[in-house]
Amino acid sequence: MRAWPRPCHAWTRGLVGLLAVSIAAGPVGCFGPTRVPPIGAEGAFALERDEERLWDQARDEERQLRTKAAIHRDPILEDYLDQVAQKMVPPQVAAQEVLKIRVHAIKDPSLNAFTYPTGSVYVHTGLLARLEDEAQLATVLGHEIAHATERHALEYNRSARNKMIGFSIAAIAASVLIAGEAGEAAGEGDWEEAYVINQVGNILVGLGLQLGFLAAVNGFGRDLEREADLVGLDRLVAAGYDPRRAPRVFELLKDDHGDPSKAEVFFFGSHPRLQERIDSTREIIATRYSGTPAEGRVTDTRDFQMRTRVLVREDALQNLEAGRLSLAQDEIIRVLKLTPKDGVAHYVQGQVHEKQAAESKDRASGRRLEDQAMERYDEAIRIDPRYADPHRARGVILYRRGDRGGAVKAFRRYLEIRPDAPDAQQVRDYILEIEAS
């Protein structure tokens, strides 16, 4: 089971209801040239008329998005993300009064990021958790910020209008479905069987947020995406980061989402597109930045590791539930190296060992893994005796091993700490069954 959910009826109803909705209404030919100068390139910057409408739409969409999407509320993380983002904003843009870059973490386990033309950047917590260092984070933010500073939403919108293309959400959604079972199902009108982009994608479709859907799902076409990569890399180098870390971002995305049978999201796309971006980025680094020494350049910081630590722990749980035990194990070890007194991380590691034990085909190996799980649960309880979950987990293992007395003791302790737990009645029933036997 992957991190993204399957489509639901609400998604389908929202899609059908938006068949005729266009991004920005207006007669063809009333806009300026498709190519526009970046913000700050010609001195004082002022929005053009159609751009003002685009920004008004973006602000309205963002307000709606924030009422439905789960924003990861962590002011220290937000401050850190903004600090890194500001390093990726050139002086001529920073000097302008119009564009304000702000980065928000949005709760979604998928690996994605998107930007509104107003400068609001949204990075999924799943992507933040999978990035390995600050240089990779700067790569993502550099790409996203480039979309805003280079005014790609305006260029894309003008290009579409000049070509008399109506971009409804349904049309965009159909354009990103690629060959495979999902595409065939959608082509036959069976959206229930088609692959959903991600949780945020569902919200964007359900609310009719065309600009957000364009930025988060469809992207701005290969030329503008490549331009964002190039501009982002230039700013990465200017900010003092090591550009050699950039291709690793696309490698991570390829490892996770390079499945040609699924819908293609622009930031990572299909397996061939990701390989193309990896190769392209490596070529740029080997030519454009061949004289850039690695020495003295930033790759990672402790701030990055500490600020993303909780997200990595949450991602480990997501991967545990998805059955990706090796990845979950790697992530939780990463957390424990940073904070060895993290009781929750010890509990999660115990859960990983327990799942590994269940999948083991060798009884002795399975028993050893269960023992390791118990050690992690004991350590979590030692660190925080009021942490309830390890007590319940210990009770289950003790019950399986026939230690009924130990199981009852562990279950009772769990209920003492969390009498109103969602599974409290189930645990009470365990105790009743043990005592009745």
Side-chain angles (χ1 to χ4, degrees):
M1 177 180 178
R2 296 171 68 90
W4 298 337
R6 287 170 60 84
C8 61
H9 290 285
W11 193 94
T12 310
R13 287 196 299 269
L15 183 65
V16 172
L18 291 163
L19 286 171
V21 179
S22 296
I23 286 179
V28 175
C30 69
F31 303 121
T34 298
R35 293 294 290 174
V36 295
I39 292 175
E42 298 181 345
F45 171 71
L47 294 171
E48 299 189 31
R49 183 173 300 177
D50 57 328
E51 195 170 18
E52 287 182 2
R53 290 196 295 269
L54 207 63
W55 280 42
D56 286 341
Q57 181 180 349
R59 293 187 187 101
D60 180 64
E61 285 196 12
E62 191 177 358
R63 283 192 293 270
Q64 294 184 64
L65 175 65
R66 292 177 73 89
T67 64
K68 295 293 184 181
I71 305 298
H72 185 81
R73 306 289 181 182
D74 182 343
I76 298 178
L77 173 64
E78 288 181 357
D79 288 347
Y80 167 71
L81 293 174
D82 283 336
Q83 288 168 13
V84 176
Q86 292 310 313
K87 297 176 184 178
M88 309 304 290
V89 179
Q92 67 270 23
V93 174
Q96 302 295 320
E97 296 293 327
V98 180
L99 188 71
K100 301 294 183 184
I101 302 295
R102 292 291 183 270
V103 185
H104 310 278
I106 191 167
K107 291 183 180 179
D108 191 300
S110 59
L111 277 62
N112 204 6
F114 61 97
T115 305
Y116 276 104
T118 51
S120 290
V121 180
Y122 289 88
V123 185
H124 292 199
T125 53
L127 179 57
L128 287 171
R130 296 293 293 280
L131 296 176
E132 299 164 331
D133 54 50
E134 187 170 296
Q136 292 175 14
L137 171 63
T139 300
V140 172
L141 294 181
H143 175 101
E144 292 304 321
I145 292 168
H147 280 312
T149 63
E150 308 306 293
R151 304 162 75 189
H152 285 167
L154 176 64
E155 290 190 357
Y156 189 88
N157 189 59
R158 284 183 175 179
S159 176
R161 290 300 167 192
N162 290 337
K163 294 175 182 176
M164 301 182 68
I165 300 173
F167 280 93
S168 68
I169 284 183
I172 295 172
S175 75
V176 298
L177 287 167
I178 54 179
E181 293 180 2
E184 291 174 4
E188 296 168 0
D190 188 359
W191 290 96
E192 292 298 309
E193 291 300 323
Y195 192 77
V196 170
I197 304 303
N198 52 42
Q199 294 173 6
V200 172
N202 285 339
I203 293 170
L204 295 170
V205 171
L207 294 177
L209 307 185
Q210 297 103 324
L211 289 177
F213 192 91
L214 176 69
V217 177
N218 193 64
F220 299 99
R222 288 197 177 192
D223 288 343
L224 294 183
E225 292 302 331
R226 179 174 172 79
E227 182 176 87
D229 285 344
L230 285 168
V231 171
L233 281 170
D234 279 345
R235 293 175 183 172
L236 184 82
V237 173
Y241 290 102
D242 187 351
R244 295 162 188 81
R245 299 299 296 159
R248 179 61 180 156
V249 174
F250 301 112
E251 289 172 0
L252 289 170
L253 296 169
K254 179 183 173 184
D255 290 343
D256 195 76
H257 294 303
D259 186 343
S261 70
K262 305 303 182 187
E264 178 177 314
V265 176
F266 92 88
F267 193 80
F268 42 88
S270 63
H271 200 280
R273 275 191 65 187
L274 274 172
Q275 188 59 54
E276 177 184 314
R277 292 179 82 174
I278 292 168
D279 295 341
S280 172
T281 305
R282 286 175 176 166
E283 181 183 354
I284 293 168
I285 292 168
T287 55
R288 195 165 184 156
Y289 309 118
S290 60
T292 304
E295 185 178 355
R297 294 208 157 262
V298 177
T299 56
D300 197 16
T301 65
R302 181 168 176 78
D303 278 347
F304 170 83
Q305 295 298 337
M306 296 305 291
R307 296 283 65 79
T308 59
R309 177 186 66 85
V310 173
L311 300 181
V312 174
R313 192 179 67 194
E314 291 175 357
D315 199 58
L317 273 172
Q318 292 277 352
N319 283 309
L320 177 65
E321 292 169 2
R324 301 197 293 191
L325 303 185
S326 179
L327 180 55
Q329 174 79 335
D330 290 344
E331 288 181 321
I332 211 62
I333 288 174
R334 175 179 160 189
V335 172
L336 285 169
K337 283 181 178 178
L338 288 167
T339 49
K341 293 184 179 180
D342 183 341
V344 177
H346 283 286
Y347 167 74
V348 174
Q349 189 173 40
Q351 291 280 282
V352 172
H353 288 321
E354 199 171 340
K355 282 283 187 73
Q356 290 171 333
E359 293 186 1
S360 176
K361 296 180 180 180
D362 178 69
R363 181 174 296 182
S365 176
R367 178 74 181 205
R368 283 194 299 271
L369 286 165
E370 266 195 358
D371 288 341
Q372 291 174 23
M374 289 290 279
E375 290 172 5
R376 295 301 97 213
Y377 298 146
D378 289 341
E379 182 63 12
I381 292 169
R382 188 191 67 77
I383 292 169
D384 182 3
R386 296 290 302 173
Y387 183 23
D389 290 346
H391 291 283
R392 185 187 186 281
R394 290 186 78 258
V396 171
I397 291 180
L398 291 170
Y399 179 83
R400 288 189 189 131
R401 293 183 171 185
D403 184 352
R404 304 302 175 89
V408 167
K409 183 178 178 181
F411 288 145
R412 287 195 186 282
R413 182 58 179 153
Y414 174 75
L415 293 173
E416 287 174 9
I417 299 170
R418 294 191 66 193
D420 297 324
D423 62 348
Q425 186 55 54
Q426 183 183 68
V427 175
R428 292 188 190 100
D429 286 335
Y430 289 160
I431 295 171
L432 284 172
E433 291 169 12
I434 293 170
E435 293 179 336
S437 60

